[in-house]
Amino acid sequence: NAAPEPSKTDPGTKPTAQTSGKKYKIGVSIPSADHGWTAGVVYWANEAKKELASDADITVVTAKDGEDQVKQLETLATQGLDAIVFLAYDTKSLTPEIKKLKEQGIFLVSVDRGVDTPVDMFLAGDNKQFGKISAEYIVKKLGGKGKILVYRGIPCQVDTDRVDAANAVFKASGVEVLQELVGKWDRQEAYKVTQTALLKYPQIDAIWAGDDDMALGVEKAFKEANRTQPWMLGGAGMQDVVKRVKANDPVFPADTTYPPKMINDAVHACVEALKAGKKAGQAQENKTIPCELITPENADKFTYPDSPF
Amino acid sequence: MARLEARNVSKSYPGVLALDGVSIAFEPGEIHGVIGENGAGKSTLMKLLSGVERPTEGAILVEDSEVHWHGVRESIDAGVVMIHQELNLVGTLTVAENIALGREPRKGLALDHKSARETAKRLLTEVRADISPDTMLEDLSIAGQQLVEIAKALSYEAKVLIMDEPTAVLSERETTALLDLMERLKSRGTTVVFISHILEQLIQVCDRITVLRDGQFVATLPKGECDEATLAKLMVGRELADYYPTKTPSWKEEVVLDVQGLQVPGHTKDVNFQVRRGEIVGIAGLVGAGRTEAAEAIVGLRKSAGSISYEGKPVHFTSPRQALEAGIAYVSEDRKLLGLHLTRSVGENITLANLRAYGSLLLDRKKEQQHIEHWVKEIQIKVSSPDVDVQTLSGGNQQKVSLSKWLDTQPKLLVLDEPTRGVDVGTKSEIYYLVRKLAAEGMTFVVISSEMPELIGLCDRTVVLREGRTVGELTGEDMTEEKMMMLVAGVDA
Amino acid sequence: MKFGPFMQKWGVLAAFLVLLGLNIVMQPQVFLKPDVLRNLFSQNCGVGIIAVGMTLLIVSGGIDLSVGSLMALAGGVGIMVMNKSLEGHAPEMMAVWTGVGASILVSVAGGLVNGLLVTVGRIAPFVATLGGLLAYRSLTQAIADGSEIASKSTGGLESLAGAGLPLPFIMGSNHKPLMVQWIIFVFLLAVVAATFLLERTPFGRRLVAVGANEKAAVYAAVSVNAVKLGAYAIVGLCVGIASVIGAAKLNSISSSSMGAFYELDAIAAVVIGGTSLSGGRGRVWGTLIGVLLLGMISTMLVTANVSIYWQGVVKGVIILLAVLIQRGQKAA
Amino acid sequence: MKFGPFMQKWGVLAAFLVLLGLNIVMQPQVFLKPDVLRNLFSQNCGVGIIAVGMTLLIVSGGIDLSVGSLMALAGGVGIMVMNKSLEGHAPEMMAVWTGVGASILVSVAGGLVNGLLVTVGRIAPFVATLGGLLAYRSLTQAIADGSEIASKSTGGLESLAGAGLPLPFIMGSNHKPLMVQWIIFVFLLAVVAATFLLERTPFGRRLVAVGANEKAAVYAAVSVNAVKLGAYAIVGLCVGIASVIGAAKLNSISSSSMGAFYELDAIAAVVIGGTSLSGGRGRVWGTLIGVLLLGMISTMLVTANVSIYWQGVVKGVIILLAVLIQRGQKAA
Ligand SMILES: Nc1ncnc2c1ncn2[C@@H]1O[C@H](COP(=O)(O)OP(=O)(O)OP(=O)(O)O)[C@@H](O)[C@H]1O
Ligand SMILES: Nc1ncnc2c1ncn2[C@@H]1O[C@H](COP(=O)(O)OP(=O)(O)OP(=O)(O)O)[C@@H](O)[C@H]1O
Ligand SMILES: [Mg+2]
Ligand SMILES: [Mg+2]
């Protein structure tokens, strides 16, 4: 389907929207806020809805799991939308539905995780890179040796990608991973498991946490146990942590970006593309949102005062 | 001035007019009997009088002023207390706690266990119950529970005490004690309203007896005019000629069931008896003698030791299903908990044990319907339609449903445990005739009963149990209340 | 019939119709599309079939919290078996049906395990199946390394959830005759079969008897354990069918999220439908409406563009209202 | 006492001790440290207090699925009130206690709403509180924009969950006397108070009566609705205390994850502890052991380094074993 077929669902709105700059109808489908980072995604999606209110009529829906997301997309599809921006809960599970949406000529923007079929625009986060650069930083700072703890999130592809990439780096170095703990990307959970782990390991030099929320829980547990606070590297650029990186806090020498704001960028990019007359079904446009290391020097770049994450 | 009065009360339930303009008045210090067939409206009338339900029409008056009760609390405060036909106690509380429920004595914040226990002890002594106040209620027999229910009612020190068939589950000894208690209450000025199907008891203690029929008032007779024949006639609307069927011996020599040395741990030690085909054998005993447990062991509901042979072969059933397949069925004495599914319809209850007869995959609903209708007619279950829940039936009619359930399985041997508990005299007699008729057709019966006249009138032979052992057997002329009483209680003649 | 008993009986249907009516009035452009109704059925087939099985189980006095996890496990194993088959160059559809068989086998086995824990193990259903909720999910994640299990079928598996009968004269929003997928018929068949089972067969009578008064059922010569085991096996079968539908729709299963919260949704649908959680009475058609009602709330939340943060409030309040109009019912 | 009844009574304790023994044998370096036991208590205070309240509620024949969501709401409101107070330059501890008051107020109100839905609204407890599970969570997310609500207290709030009594002679792993946090005493106090309430007070006996035989309670002129309402309010109070503990521990609450799944954990602890889900019988000490057993499984999963994918299987199986040795119990 190279050229967009004329809109089949709602002949009234689409042509006018394209010609006279009238409102686009856009659906945004994201996972529900089940931990800090996804809460950030939800926040940034809602921000986009407000920011673009004059250009587009945006419906934001959140899915509690992959199947729920498919159902919501099915429902959105009956609404005569111009475009759908989605952050896949489960990538493979979403693929069949995305194929169906494509057949309907809806402009599709995938964020963070790729689905197994080309879409119109793909803003990719790179979880493997996330794991790699953060682990490399730790190895370097430890001088290639030392004992660390690794904190995993909720079992899913994102978690597997991050942790596997980090572990590969650690394995190749002299850094010893004492244990992989399960913090479910949640402060409370990380705090709890750390309390127990602290009894087991007398020496811990650094922490690799797959998410900043967990890092904060870990910090709290160390503080409470009166243990020497190791430095740590979390991820996703939570605002509280970025602030501390900037302030040269010894506990947080650096952080890894994985901005939930990517959803906001994607919605903006989507509206731009529609305004520029881009049609569904042309070639996929790829943008990778690189994971960067946040250091005191560049921390300003990653500060968004109002973001909840 | 009447202490408690109903004036022209009617009560209708969906599809049923349970009471139709009944007026009745209770005077201070009288024992007032109320009788009527099953479903005549006795319990319903009492529920209106005790504030459990509200009349559709008419008025309830206490000492000549009309009352509109919203719940039991208010009627209790006005001095009216009722003992319901079905037990309403909390199985997981102790006897003392059940008695104190709702008005617990306190010591500071805590419940005053000591005082509750003492109160319970005092009241239990008053009803002549040998029960420890610390027993869990669910560990008591039904009779024990009934006594606790009575003790609880006494604790309110009511002006009017309504007892709905309190004696149905009691044996001779407890019944006598209860009748005594009524006399004592009366002498203290309490009004006692007493419902029973055993006319003899009523005539013994009541100052007046009111008869209801089909939800309507029939008559109130003073003590002098009450005799069994008159009352029965007023109740049923016709003469009851021969109460028991004539005993035409229908049994054959073949021994169907032979129980030897049956032991049910904690209940029976040495039960022995034989039953011949077509025979009606009674089992007598006091509460706790182990009759129920022995019967339950036979049909595979309890673990037991000893030998049981059935139709000449040794058997050891481990479930009622097996027993039923062999042709033995057991009708439980506890219809509410074990005998019926109260929240299901009359029809479903009747066919439950015999579902196989109506198809293995698909129910033959037509055939099922025919059977249900047959039983409703055969033993006169008073019900607007077989589709109503069993719990909406009057007590006696529930008993009939429980009976039909087992009759429908057409067993070869039917064990009946207190089969006529709560059944009115008219229907009782009909059940006796039915049993006799089925026996003549070859069905065998074991009848456990606490009513000696019933055993004597119905059975070909009676086995007596005492403290878990067979202590004797009476046949023919020997079956008299005196002889039976002596064996049952263990006093030598 | 008086208003009270009438509502007790038909309240859930009334609630559904009122909500549908409101939606049609407020969003005619959406809710008058036949697709929306079709989607309502097709989207809720899986949880619906499980809810139907759960109705029978709850009527018998049981409950099964493990359904969602078992669904993931059955789906996962099914896809893996199918993939193995395909790798062995089995014909596509043969491989697919082998996978389906494996799913059903696994789920019925899981149901029987639950049943055995409850009957032979004499563990309370809630805990027995709570163990399954944890264990089956974990097993699935273990075999999938926490991620998704993708099918290697090229269209064969998906075809099970696709296609169906075109409805003559009724056009979908793509201006072709509206297709009613086979899975919808499977769902409706499950409803009919369960209704039949519950109301027309000896087994159904026994289910009710066991749930209403287990002791009395024992006394009435009902083999209580066999009946309970049967009920758990039926739920297992329903879970198996749902897992196939789920896998076919997504051509993959996610080890961590497939079937998550299905136990809650299914039980909610059953209870909203008027079946008492304490057992002994229930109705399958009520569950059907319960499933559709919950499904419609989800659809409505999307189409009405309700703020994400308020969706839970809206959903919670509608559920309560739907149940309030059936009040007077015995507490579950 | 015979083995069966003995195990029925003490089985849960036996299961706990066996598991503890196994852990000590297998990992003495961890499980012989007094800190482990202390942590076991302090980590499970929150869910433990809720489980204690839930025990009373379940004994009365009710259930509350909304506890986790209500906890988040109460905690969130509490922190916001405290922050407002602090902004108004109230003294730190006064602001903190104002916040605590607000949390308790909200949670008790939430409990009463549940209770009113069940009593006046005559909605089955499962559905009534399912509504709350959805609505309270959603409300919290709405007021927090889906993210965290951070406290502006500098140490005051945290101090509620910190400090405590040092245990003489017993050294923690930091070689200072082991500190037993106040919250542990609060938890133990809740256990004692609930035991007293259930077993020694008229209210407790009425809870049992309402749960075992509601009709009998009605005939005994017990105000059934008042008793039920009381039970829901108690759960609300427990939730409020737990929310304060949760907020104090991390000096913030997460609107999406605080208290998530607490309902399941609390109910599981109650049932594992030997309380029947059908009401009318229960024991608070059993719940305490149930909470500790579940907590110890979590600790064990960490110390034994069980793969995340297998944790559910291990947890599920241990729960089943713990309940199996109490078998013979009435089905819940
Ligand atoms: N809740 C109810 N719903 C419908 N019908 C009822 C209900 N309670 C009683 N009835 C009907 O009212 C009639 C009178 O019943 P009631 O219990 O008062 O009889 P009774 O005289 O006490 O009989 P018994 O001697 O058998 O106890 C019966 O036909 C019964 O089926
Ligand atoms: N030896 C005993 N010690 C304590 N309790 C006993 C003993 N024997 C019986 N009981 C209790 O008393 C009850 C006696 O009722 P049971 O059914 O055994 O007697 P029964 O002979 O069938 O009399 P009925 O049918 O008149 O009640 C039993 O349920 C049991 O709990
Ligand atoms: Mg009666
Ligand atoms: Mg008996």
Side-chain angles (χ1 to χ4, degrees):
Chain A
N1 45 98
E5 298 156 60
S7 169
K8 287 164 284 187
T9 47
D10 209 339
T13 54
K14 204 168 177 181
T16 32
Q18 282 164 342
T19 51
S20 69
K22 247 185 120 190
K23 278 194 172 185
Y24 298 102
K25 280 181 87 177
I26 297 177
V28 178
S29 166
I30 50 183
S32 62
D34 53 9
H35 60 276
W37 191 80
T38 37
V41 171
V42 173
Y43 168 84
W44 282 112
N46 275 331
E47 283 299 297
K49 179 175 170 176
K50 283 186 232 155
E51 289 158 10
L52 293 165
S54 56
D55 291 321
D57 211 346
I58 297 175
T59 303
V60 182
V61 292
T62 61
K64 66 178 194 284
D65 56 49
E67 199 198 338
D68 201 25
Q69 187 167 36
V70 171
K71 289 183 187 173
Q72 293 181 343
L73 287 176
E74 274 176 1
T75 306
L76 283 174
T78 61
Q79 302 264 71
L81 295 178
D82 299 294
I84 290 178
V85 180
F86 63 94
L87 200 161
Y89 205 110
D90 291 312
T91 54
K92 298 196 176 73
S93 306
L94 203 59
T95 306
E97 180 59 26
I98 294 300
K99 284 183 183 156
K100 280 184 209 144
L101 293 177
K102 230 159 54 175
E103 283 164 22
Q104 295 193 24
I106 297 174
F107 193 81
L108 293 167
V109 181
S110 167
V111 185
D112 186 22
R113 309 163 199 179
V115 286
D116 293 345
T117 180
V119 290
D120 299 301
M121 195 184 273
F122 178 30
L123 274 79
D126 191 339
N127 285 301
K128 289 184 180 140
Q129 193 199 12
F130 175 111
K132 185 159 168 279
I133 61 169
S134 54
E136 281 168 356
Y137 179 90
I138 288 187
V139 171
K140 200 168 118 208
K141 192 161 153 91
L142 283 175
K145 58 179 190 298
K147 296 178 173 177
I148 66 163
L149 288 174
V150 163
Y151 286 79
R152 313 193 60 132
I154 298 166
C156 67
Q157 199 61 49
V158 172
D159 184 57
T160 311
D161 284 352
R162 286 183 189 177
V163 176
D164 287 356
N167 274 336
V169 174
F170 293 135
K171 204 163 266 163
S173 74
V175 172
E176 183 194 349
V177 176
L178 292 168
Q179 188 172 342
E180 280 177 21
L181 294 162
V182 182
K184 298 189 185 153
W185 291 328
D186 183 63
R187 203 178 293 187
Q188 170 93 32
E189 255 340 288
Y191 165 72
K192 250 173 99 167
V193 293
T194 308
Q195 283 186 323
T196 307
L198 281 178
L199 300 176
K200 225 174 133 181
Y201 304 109
Q203 189 208 334
I204 298 161
D205 301 310
I207 303 289
W208 182 92
D211 175 273
D212 286 332
D213 244 332
M214 292 198 284
L216 292 174
V218 176
E219 182 189 22
K220 167 91 184 170
F222 271 92
K223 210 187 273 173
E224 234 176 53
N226 276 321
R227 285 274 295 263
T228 359
Q229 187 82 51
W231 57 270
M232 40 192 163
L233 193 82
M238 184 185 202
Q239 291 307 299
D240 283 350
V241 173
V242 174
K243 244 184 266 168
R244 293 174 62 178
V245 171
K246 193 178 158 201
N248 282 310
D249 190 320
V251 180
F252 289 100
D255 197 15
T256 322
T257 59
Y258 205 82
K261 186 170 178 288
M262 63 175 74
I263 192 74
N264 187 286
D265 297 340
V267 180
H268 277 276
C270 171
V271 172
E272 290 307 316
L274 290 177
K275 275 189 178 164
K278 268 204 76 173
K279 304 268 158 45
Q282 296 168 338
Q284 171 170 324
E285 185 183 333
N286 287 320
K287 279 188 198 160
T288 301
I289 304 165
C291 287
E292 290 175 66
L293 212 57
I294 309 175
T295 55
E297 294 74 45
N298 67 2
D300 275 333
K301 213 173 97 190
F302 303 102
T303 306
Y304 313 101
D306 290 332
S307 166
F309 185 83
Chain B
M1 185 170 65
R3 191 167 260 175
L4 178 65
E5 191 181 346
R7 238 178 240 167
N8 272 317
V9 292
S10 297
K11 175 77 184 174
S12 55
Y13 294 108
V16 190
L17 183 59
L19 282 177
D20 184 6
V22 173
S23 297
I24 191 168
F26 305 119
E27 304 299 329
E30 72 164 337
I31 301 179
H32 195 132
V34 178
I35 61 171
E37 283 179 290
N38 296 131
K42 304 179 294 294
S43 299
T44 307
L45 178 60
M46 297 310 142
K47 284 182 190 160
L48 301 182
L49 285 163
S50 65
V52 172
E53 304 217 15
R54 273 155 288 286
T56 341
E57 269 170 62
I60 307 292
L61 298 90
V62 173
E63 293 175 345
D64 287 350
S65 53
E66 191 171 344
V67 289
H68 296 275
W69 288 322
H70 300 278
V72 184
R73 165 109 283 156
E74 293 169 36
S75 61
I76 288 177
D77 287 346
V80 179
V81 170
M82 170 165 177
I83 298 169
H84 290 265
Q85 186 171 8
E86 307 296 343
L87 293 167
N88 285 291
L89 293 164
V90 180
T92 52
L93 292 180
T94 66
V95 169
E97 287 167 343
N98 264 289
I99 291 176
L101 186 64
R103 301 152 301 129
E104 300 85 352
R106 286 163 200 262
K107 204 154 78 190
L109 280 176
L111 189 147
D112 186 350
H113 274 281
K114 198 162 149 244
S115 138
R117 212 174 284 133
E118 273 161 14
T119 310
K121 228 182 232 155
R122 179 173 56 78
L123 294 165
L124 288 168
T125 315
E126 193 153 1
V127 297
R128 306 268 188 277
D130 185 19
I131 295 170
S132 154
D134 295 318
T135 320
M136 269 296 168
L137 196 96
E138 62 193 357
D139 295 336
L140 289 178
S141 63
I142 311 182
Q145 296 186 11
Q146 181 70 57
L147 293 174
V148 172
E149 189 87 87
I150 295 166
K152 179 173 162 65
L154 285 183
S155 73
Y156 292 99
E157 293 176 357
K159 287 189 227 153
V160 181
L161 183 57
I162 301 170
M163 302 195 201
D164 195 351
E165 296 194 35
T167 57
V169 297
L170 299 182
S171 67
E172 292 284 339
R173 196 173 69 95
E174 287 99 0
T175 304
T176 314
L178 180 62
L179 299 184
D180 276 354
L181 175 67
M182 290 186 198
E183 301 276 11
R184 267 178 285 142
L185 287 172
K186 174 178 141 187
S187 65
R188 286 182 222 156
T190 309
T191 304
V192 178
V193 180
F194 179 30
I195 299 176
S196 173
H197 286 292
I198 303 172
L199 304 178
E200 190 194 331
Q201 294 171 357
L202 289 157
I203 294 166
Q204 189 187 329
V205 293
C206 292
D207 299 306
R208 294 193 293 163
I209 295 179
T210 297
V211 184
L212 297 182
R213 193 194 313 144
D214 290 335
Q216 287 172 333
F217 174 86
V218 176
T220 297
L221 305 182
K223 195 169 187 104
E225 294 173 24
C226 300
D227 61 78
E228 290 197 30
T230 317
L231 290 173
K233 189 179 165 209
L234 283 173
M235 265 171 75
V236 188
R238 63 187 154 83
E239 258 355 291
L240 278 183
D242 294 314
Y243 192 60
Y244 294 107
T246 38
K247 293 186 191 176
T248 38
S250 54
W251 45 270
K252 310 193 174 53
E253 281 309 320
E254 180 202 351
V255 173
V256 174
L257 181 72
D258 186 1
V259 177
Q260 293 302 328
L262 184 72
Q263 285 176 295
V264 180
H267 296 283
T268 74
K269 299 179 193 83
D270 185 19
V271 174
N272 304 289
F273 64 92
Q274 290 188 335
V275 186
R276 286 166 292 197
R277 191 174 295 288
E279 194 176 23
I280 303 174
V281 175
I283 300 187
L286 294 178
V287 169
R291 297 166 295 171
T292 298
E293 284 77 6
E296 287 182 345
I298 292 168
V299 295
L301 280 159
R302 281 177 187 268
K303 289 207 172 75
S304 64
S307 79
I308 303 171
S309 58
Y310 173 66
E311 292 186 331
K313 287 185 284 290
V315 289
H316 188 83
F317 303 121
T318 54
S319 76
R321 172 97 261 155
Q322 291 174 4
L324 187 63
E325 272 160 14
I328 307 182
Y330 166 69
V331 184
S332 170
E333 62 177 336
D334 187 348
R335 63 167 178 254
K336 189 179 174 191
L337 268 175
L338 306 175
L340 290 171
H341 286 82
L342 293 175
T343 56
R344 304 303 307 179
S345 75
V346 171
E348 267 177 58
N349 270 279
I350 291 177
T351 56
L352 181 63
N354 197 28
L355 284 173
R356 288 192 181 184
Y358 306 103
S360 54
L361 258 181
L362 178 62
L363 281 174
D364 180 348
R365 302 222 292 181
K366 215 156 155 201
K367 182 172 169 201
E368 193 191 2
Q369 210 55 40
Q370 281 167 359
H371 281 233
I372 293 167
E373 275 161 22
H374 167 76
W375 290 115
V376 166
K377 216 153 82 214
E378 174 85 24
I379 50 177
Q380 301 180 16
I381 303 173
K382 192 190 168 207
V383 64
S384 54
S385 132
D387 296 331
V388 305
D389 285 2
V390 167
Q391 62 186 348
T392 69
L393 262 58
S394 76
N397 282 302
Q398 292 184 8
Q399 181 66 35
K400 295 182 209 167
V401 174
S402 165
L403 206 56
S404 329
K405 168 159 74 178
W406 292 105
L407 290 173
D408 193 50
T409 63
Q410 295 181 303
K412 292 188 230 166
L413 170 65
L414 185 56
V415 183
L416 302 170
D417 199 349
E418 310 285 0
T420 60
R421 176 173 286 173
V423 175
D424 66 53
V425 282
T427 316
K428 245 185 205 174
S429 173
E430 274 150 33
I431 290 175
Y432 299 146
Y433 276 89
L434 176 67
V435 167
R436 196 32 88 185
K437 186 183 101 192
L438 291 170
E441 288 166 10
M443 202 186 278
T444 310
F445 289 89
V446 173
V447 180
I448 301 173
S449 174
S450 298
E451 273 184 60
M452 289 183 190
E454 175 169 282
L455 292 173
I456 294 163
L458 175 66
C459 300
D460 296 316
R461 187 159 57 90
T462 300
V463 177
V464 182
L465 298 194
R466 186 170 70 232
E467 288 166 4
R469 293 173 202 277
T470 301
V471 292
E473 212 179 280
L474 300 167
T475 28
E477 296 295 295
D478 280 346
M479 278 207 282
T480 64
E481 283 203 45
E482 291 75 36
K483 284 190 180 164
M484 206 180 272
M485 196 63 215
M486 277 187 277
L487 271 177
V488 157
V491 278
D492 289 316
Chain C
M1 208 188 268
K2 293 236 196 76
F3 186 71
F6 179 82
M7 268 312 184
Q8 199 167 323
K9 179 137 195 216
W10 299 109
V12 63
L13 189 59
F16 176 76
L17 294 176
V18 166
L19 193 66
L20 183 63
L22 273 180
N23 275 321
I24 290 179
V25 169
M26 289 183 353
Q27 307 188 58
Q29 74 285 14
V30 178
F31 276 86
L32 281 178
K33 288 195 181 131
D35 310 51
V36 171
L37 275 182
R38 196 262 326 255
N39 283 357
L40 193 58
F41 277 87
S42 74
Q43 291 180 346
N44 296 293
C45 281
V47 74
I49 290 174
I50 293 178
V52 164
M54 190 77 87
T55 309
L56 301 184
L57 179 58
I58 288 178
V59 164
S60 82
I63 198 153
D64 190 347
L65 302 182
S66 76
V67 287
S69 301
L70 185 57
M71 178 175 163
L73 182 64
V77 171
I79 289 191
M80 288 170 82
V81 167
M82 182 193 70
N83 286 351
K84 266 268 164 327
S85 248
L86 285 171
E87 279 162 25
H89 302 288
E92 172 97 4
M93 283 325 282
M94 203 177 101
V96 168
W97 285 107
T98 313
V100 169
S103 287
I104 304 272
L105 219 67
V106 167
S107 62
V108 172
L112 284 173
V113 169
N114 288 334
L116 286 173
L117 286 171
V118 170
T119 53
V120 180
R122 276 179 286 145
I123 301 184
F126 186 90
V127 208
T129 57
L130 177 69
L133 167 70
L134 297 165
Y136 298 144
R137 171 71 60 199
S138 169
L139 263 179
T140 319
Q141 290 179 337
I143 62 177
D145 261 355
S147 64
E148 291 174 88
I149 303 178
S151 119
K152 298 210 167 101
S153 140
T154 47
L157 180 56
E158 278 178 283
S159 73
L160 296 187
L165 280 186
L167 282 188
F169 308 121
I170 299 185
M171 294 288 144
S173 49
N174 56 358
H175 298 279
K176 292 183 200 143
L178 193 72
M179 299 298 282
V180 177
Q181 297 100 315
W182 290 122
I183 50 172
I184 296 184
F185 292 105
V186 173
F187 177 30
L188 295 177
L189 193 74
V191 171
V192 172
T195 308
F196 178 80
L197 197 67
L198 186 59
E199 294 178 5
R200 300 279 152 126
T201 68
F203 180 71
R205 286 289 173 76
R206 295 192 178 114
L207 276 178
V208 173
V210 169
N213 184 345
E214 186 172 331
K215 269 194 188 156
V218 172
Y219 274 72
V222 171
S223 313
V224 170
N225 280 356
V227 170
K228 287 186 179 176
L229 214 55
Y232 282 96
I234 288 173
V235 172
L237 177 66
C238 292
V239 167
I241 297 171
S243 81
V244 172
I245 292 177
K249 269 194 184 167
L250 307 177
N251 205 28
S252 67
I253 76 112
S254 152
S255 65
S256 46
S257 77
M258 173 176 246
F261 302 106
Y262 267 41
E263 65 286 349
L264 211 62
D265 284 345
I267 297 172
V270 172
V271 179
I272 291 171
T275 294
S276 153
L277 262 190
S278 43
R281 75 177 64 238
R283 46 193 200 187
V284 179
W285 72 262
T287 299
L288 168 65
I289 308 290
V291 168
L292 295 179
L293 186 72
L294 288 177
M296 190 154 62
I297 297 176
S298 299
T299 303
M300 194 191 89
L301 291 176
V302 175
T303 57
N305 203 354
V306 174
S307 153
I308 287 152
Y309 302 129
W310 291 98
Q311 294 195 350
V313 174
V314 174
K315 190 168 175 184
V317 169
I318 296 180
I319 291 177
L320 286 180
L321 289 178
V323 182
L324 256 179
I325 65 170
Q326 305 175 53
R327 57 191 255 153
Q329 198 121 336
K330 298 252 157 50
Chain D
M1 206 188 274
K2 292 233 198 79
F3 187 73
F6 179 84
M7 269 313 186
Q8 199 166 324
K9 179 139 195 214
W10 299 108
V12 63
L13 190 60
F16 176 75
L17 293 176
V18 167
L19 194 64
L20 183 62
L22 274 180
N23 275 322
I24 290 180
V25 169
M26 286 179 0
Q27 309 190 55
Q29 74 287 13
V30 179
F31 273 87
L32 280 178
K33 289 194 181 132
D35 308 53
V36 170
L37 273 182
R38 197 265 322 263
N39 284 356
L40 192 59
F41 277 88
S42 74
Q43 289 178 346
N44 297 292
C45 281
V47 73
I49 290 173
I50 293 178
V52 164
M54 190 77 85
T55 309
L56 301 185
L57 178 58
I58 288 178
V59 164
S60 83
I63 198 152
D64 189 346
L65 300 183
S66 76
V67 288
S69 301
L70 184 57
M71 178 174 164
L73 182 64
V77 171
I79 290 189
M80 288 171 86
V81 167
M82 181 192 71
N83 285 352
K84 266 269 168 312
S85 247
L86 286 170
E87 279 162 23
H89 302 290
E92 172 98 4
M93 283 322 284
M94 205 177 97
V96 169
W97 286 107
T98 313
V100 169
S103 287
I104 304 274
L105 220 68
V106 168
S107 61
V108 172
L112 285 173
V113 168
N114 287 334
L116 287 172
L117 287 172
V118 170
T119 53
V120 180
R122 276 179 286 143
I123 302 184
F126 186 91
V127 210
T129 59
L130 177 68
L133 169 69
L134 297 165
Y136 298 143
R137 171 73 58 198
S138 167
L139 263 179
T140 318
Q141 291 181 334
I143 62 175
D145 262 357
S147 70
E148 284 188 320
I149 304 180
S151 123
K152 299 212 165 102
S153 142
T154 48
L157 179 55
E158 278 176 288
S159 73
L160 295 187
L165 278 186
L167 282 187
F169 309 120
I170 299 185
M171 294 290 143
S173 51
N174 57 358
H175 300 282
K176 292 183 199 141
L178 193 72
M179 299 296 284
V180 179
Q181 296 100 313
W182 291 121
I183 48 172
I184 295 183
F185 293 105
V186 173
F187 176 30
L188 294 177
L189 194 74
V191 171
V192 173
T195 308
F196 176 79
L197 197 67
L198 183 60
E199 293 181 3
R200 298 283 147 128
T201 67
F203 179 71
R205 305 287 79 191
R206 290 174 191 185
L207 281 176
V208 173
V210 169
N213 187 343
E214 195 170 324
K215 201 163 161 204
V218 171
Y219 285 164
V222 169
S223 320
V224 171
N225 279 357
V227 170
K228 288 186 179 174
L229 214 54
Y232 282 96
I234 288 172
V235 171
L237 177 65
C238 292
V239 168
I241 298 171
S243 80
V244 171
I245 292 177
K249 272 193 185 168
L250 294 174
N251 207 28
S252 67
I253 75 115
S254 151
S255 66
S256 48
S257 73
M258 178 182 234
F261 300 108
Y262 268 40
E263 65 285 349
L264 211 62
D265 283 346
I267 297 171
V270 172
V271 179
I272 291 170
T275 294
S276 152
L277 263 189
S278 43
R281 73 176 79 228
R283 49 193 198 187
V284 179
W285 72 262
T287 300
L288 168 65
I289 308 291
V291 169
L292 295 179
L293 186 73
L294 289 176
M296 191 155 60
I297 297 175
S298 301
T299 304
M300 198 191 86
L301 292 175
V302 175
T303 56
N305 202 359
V306 175
S307 148
I308 177 169
Y309 305 130
W310 289 97
Q311 294 194 353
V313 172
V314 174
K315 194 169 173 182
V317 169
I318 296 180
I319 292 178
L320 286 181
L321 288 178
V323 183
L324 256 179
I325 66 170
Q326 306 174 53
R327 57 192 255 156
Q329 199 122 335
K330 301 246 158 53

